[in-house]
Amino acid sequence: MTAARPPGEPRRVAYLYLLPAFAVYAAFLLFPIGRAVQFSLYDWDGLSLGRWVGLDNYAAIVADEGLRAAFGHALVLIVFYALGPLVIGLGLAAILNHAKVRGLGFFRTVVFLPQVVAMVVVAVAWRRVYAPDGTLNTLLGALGLDALTRGWLGDYTFALPAVGVVGTWFETGLVTVLLLAGMSRIPGELYEAARLDGAGAVREFFAVTLPSVRGEIAVALTLTVIAALRTFDLVYITTRGGPGDSTSVPSYEVYHRAFGLSQVGSAAAIGVTLTVVIFVISFGINRFADRRVT
Amino acid sequence: MISRGERVANYVILSVFAAFALFPIVTILAAALGPADSGGTAGLGNFAAAWEIGRFGTYLRTSLMVSAFVVVVSVLLSIMSGYAFGTMRFRGQSVLFYLFMLGIMMPSEAVAVPLYFDLRTLGLIDTFWSVALPQVALSVAFGTFWMRAYFRASNRAIVEAARIDGASTWRILWQVLVPPARPALVTLTVLVFMWTWNEFLIPLIMVTSESLRTAPLGLAFFQGQYTSGFTLLAAGSVIVATPVVIFYLFLQRHFVRGLLQGAVRE
């Protein structure tokens, strides 16, 4: 966010150009988020008259073990959605950037493909992979690792990591493409200089590549962390929060409470909290990136 | 300068990852083309069966209508609002811009619940509008940001020349600024189409009648009904995914280029 003035001169007509977009935006996003804050202060079942409870719904997020767990699961998913893809994506992009690999275009298309496929379809496909008689267990059996086979999504310990791996699969392509864009802007002389100084591939990566793509890392982290915190379709289709509540996440709780348990106030409070968490983390990542650059 | 060993290692790593990326997609394609669970036919017949039994024709039509509406309206509104933010100066500019920025981060999970209850009061639940309009709002926030970045970087001299020739702001926008913006607009269109087609929560909450189900929602319900077999479910999944994949593959070159230019431009 620069403080620089936009070009152009004072123009009242600007308001007319803004009006249509702002009207839809205000009616269907700004107003509802205000209403969400209002709902969150009531104990309301969606039908009868609500009862004012102040901040009780927010206190419950801290006190209720199940809700605390849901937010905790979202944090675990960040590791799979954001950190995993970042590490893998850095490696892939570094290779793609200057290894002069044949079939670069094909590879870029393939890794980005998961982003394009609807999450519902992704979830259906991965359910098949994880099923007791699914592809993963068949593969393990063929490798002689029968001891490891299980119903992955029904396992208390492995269900959440199993959902997380889908996130890694889904986000890595996006991260790779973004990082590749940043790396392709690094002047070739920097690499030649590093190689002449006797740096190997690893030294070169840490000395030249990594510092040059901070901006792209920030963008990639912002997008993937938000995606992790917002996970809904995937959980809805694969586990519905189970087994037990071992894979419940905040956005699933919002849906479940509002439309399954008729606890609209509590659902709204979770939604508002989720929004605040997303704002704080996004600003944090971007401030961190800005400070490091200057 | 790259050693043979390093080169081989690179190919191995890339191949392993490509396999990982394609594995679930191949799984589902193979299942869709494989023999039906009930021992019926293999091959393309499964798609016809899924289309028939799963009513994917209806769902695709709804998805196409919603997506077309959201793309056209939100791109038009974003062009206009991005134009104002990118090339004009006015009171309250930064406050308004930050308001739009909030919308980029706002999760639909937070607004969907109050929207449901307010739209229910207005009698708009279970209509085309309850699915389409919230998504226009979500897309317009990003679109404004995207087009603002583009118009800010546009050529000022040509705009000034057109102004001196007496062109109105409206004509300058559509005749001077929009034509060269085609790459940025293609990227925005692909993104909005992709998000709208794939959106799940908003249709899930807003719609109860089957004729208004979008394709992903139809697939989710189909999954609930067909727990026994996988072939038809896989075929249905392919049907739901295909329009966006085709759109992406078709515009891939332009799309990725636009994405790369736009991502870190701020």
Side-chain angles (χ1 to χ4, degrees):
Chain A
M1 247 134 290
T2 48
R5 276 195 199 151
E9 57 221 84
R11 282 192 170 276
R12 289 256 170 91
V13 70
Y15 297 116
L16 286 179
Y17 282 100
L18 279 178
L19 187 66
F22 189 76
V24 182
Y25 174 67
F28 289 91
L29 268 185
L30 284 183
F31 179 72
I33 195 74
R35 290 283 277 170
V37 173
Q38 186 193 0
F39 284 6
S40 72
L41 304 174
Y42 286 84
D43 179 13
W44 187 43
D45 62 5
L47 290 169
S48 56
L49 222 54
R51 185 171 60 87
W52 170 267
V53 293
L55 294 175
D56 281 8
N57 287 323
Y58 292 94
I61 294 175
V62 185
D64 185 321
E65 211 172 304
L67 282 179
R68 253 197 345 246
F71 278 89
H73 296 154
L75 295 182
V76 173
L77 289 185
I78 289 179
V79 175
F80 284 97
Y81 273 68
L83 300 184
L86 181 63
V87 172
I88 302 171
L90 277 170
L92 290 178
I95 291 173
L96 288 170
N97 184 38
H98 70 296
K100 300 196 178 63
V101 199
R102 244 180 271 170
L104 172 85
F106 169 77
F107 187 79
R108 207 163 59 179
T109 308
V110 166
V111 292
F112 198 76
L113 205 54
Q115 281 284 321
V116 181
V117 177
M119 190 45 106
V120 176
V121 174
V122 168
V124 168
W126 278 92
R127 256 176 75 112
R128 178 64 174 180
V129 171
Y130 285 139
D133 60 345
T135 352
L136 180 56
N137 283 340
T138 311
L139 204 67
L140 287 172
L143 294 171
L145 297 168
D146 298 85
L148 293 178
T149 60
R150 66 196 75 224
W152 294 90
L153 292 170
D155 188 294
Y156 277 88
T157 317
F158 285 97
L160 187 62
V163 170
V165 166
V166 182
T168 310
W169 175 80
F170 185 72
E171 299 293 354
T172 300
L174 173 73
V175 174
T176 307
V177 170
L178 284 172
L179 291 173
L180 190 57
M183 289 183 193
S184 64
R185 276 196 284 261
I186 303 173
E189 301 91 68
L190 278 178
Y191 285 115
E192 281 162 32
R195 291 262 153 153
L196 285 176
D197 286 346
V202 175
R203 277 265 311 278
E204 177 188 271
F205 174 77
F206 283 102
V208 179
T209 310
L210 197 56
S212 311
V213 291
R214 265 193 209 122
E216 285 78 8
I217 290 177
V219 173
L221 277 183
T222 310
L223 293 174
T224 50
V225 166
I226 292 177
L229 291 170
R230 293 186 49 184
T231 311
F232 174 76
D233 340 21
L234 185 57
V235 165
Y236 180 88
I237 303 284
T238 53
T239 65
R240 300 235 171 188
D245 62 358
S246 59
T247 57
S248 80
V249 287
S251 53
Y252 184 75
E253 285 295 322
V254 171
Y255 172 79
H256 182 56
R257 283 181 187 239
F259 301 104
L261 305 175
S262 294
Q263 300 174 359
V264 181
S266 167
I270 300 168
V272 172
T273 308
L274 184 64
T275 309
V276 172
V277 170
I278 287 177
F279 283 177
V280 169
I281 292 185
S282 312
F283 281 121
I285 292 173
N286 289 302
R287 279 199 60 174
F288 181 71
D290 286 347
R291 194 181 312 152
R292 294 287 295 275
V293 166
T294 46
Chain B
M1 293 292 279
I2 295 167
S3 74
R4 204 187 154 77
E6 196 179 324
R7 181 172 301 235
V8 171
N10 287 344
Y11 273 109
V12 170
I13 294 170
L14 292 181
S15 306
V16 167
F17 195 78
F20 176 58
L22 285 175
F23 173 54
I25 297 174
V26 170
T27 299
I28 209 160
L29 265 177
L33 291 168
D37 314 281
S38 47
T41 54
L44 295 174
N46 293 329
F47 291 103
W51 183 275
E52 194 68 29
I53 299 169
R55 300 191 178 198
F56 282 100
T58 321
Y59 306 148
L60 287 189
R61 204 181 56 219
T62 304
S63 270
L64 270 180
M65 274 163 46
V66 170
S67 302
F69 179 83
V70 173
V71 166
V72 170
V73 174
S74 62
V75 168
L76 281 179
L77 298 192
S78 302
I79 289 174
M80 286 164 56
S81 55
Y83 178 48
F85 279 122
T87 67
M88 299 175 192
R89 220 148 34 87
F90 49 92
R91 255 170 181 286
Q93 180 158 25
S94 46
V95 174
L96 280 169
F97 183 65
Y98 282 122
L99 269 183
F100 272 97
M101 288 287 291
L102 289 183
I104 295 179
M105 287 177 278
M106 198 102 73
S108 50
E109 288 77 10
V111 289
V113 170
L115 260 179
Y116 170 83
F117 287 101
D118 284 338
L119 291 177
R120 195 182 66 180
T121 311
L122 294 172
L124 283 174
I125 282 301
D126 210 23
T127 63
F128 175 83
W129 306 111
S130 64
V131 181
L133 289 175
Q135 299 195 72
V136 172
L138 287 162
S139 303
V140 140
F142 174 78
T144 299
F145 173 71
W146 181 260
M147 291 318 297
R148 168 187 174 268
Y150 180 81
F151 287 132
R152 264 169 84 102
S154 62
N155 189 334
R156 306 296 312 157
I158 298 178
V159 175
E160 281 313 308
R163 252 176 54 76
I164 290 163
D165 285 350
S168 64
T169 53
W170 185 251
R171 276 193 57 186
I172 291 176
L173 173 61
W174 296 106
Q175 294 188 355
V176 178
L177 288 171
V178 166
R182 206 188 297 159
L185 288 171
V186 166
T187 306
L188 181 60
T189 302
V190 176
L191 282 174
V192 172
F193 177 67
M194 207 168 96
W195 291 334
T196 310
W197 187 275
N198 295 344
E199 171 66 39
F200 184 65
L201 180 71
I202 289 175
L204 174 70
I205 291 178
M206 300 297 176
V207 156
T208 49
S209 49
E210 205 184 327
S211 60
L212 279 172
R213 273 181 204 160
T214 58
L217 192 61
L219 180 63
F221 277 87
F222 191 54
Q223 184 201 232
Q225 288 158 8
Y226 278 79
T227 40
S228 54
F230 188 67
T231 307
L232 290 189
L233 185 59
S237 304
V238 174
I239 293 173
V240 172
T242 301
V244 198
V245 171
I246 289 178
F247 202 60
Y248 162 70
L249 293 178
F250 195 60
L251 293 171
Q252 199 250 126
R253 234 165 250 270
H254 307 279
F255 169 65
V256 173
R257 197 185 311 142
L259 190 69
L260 299 184
Q261 284 168 358
V264 199
R265 189 189 254 157
E266 317 115 76

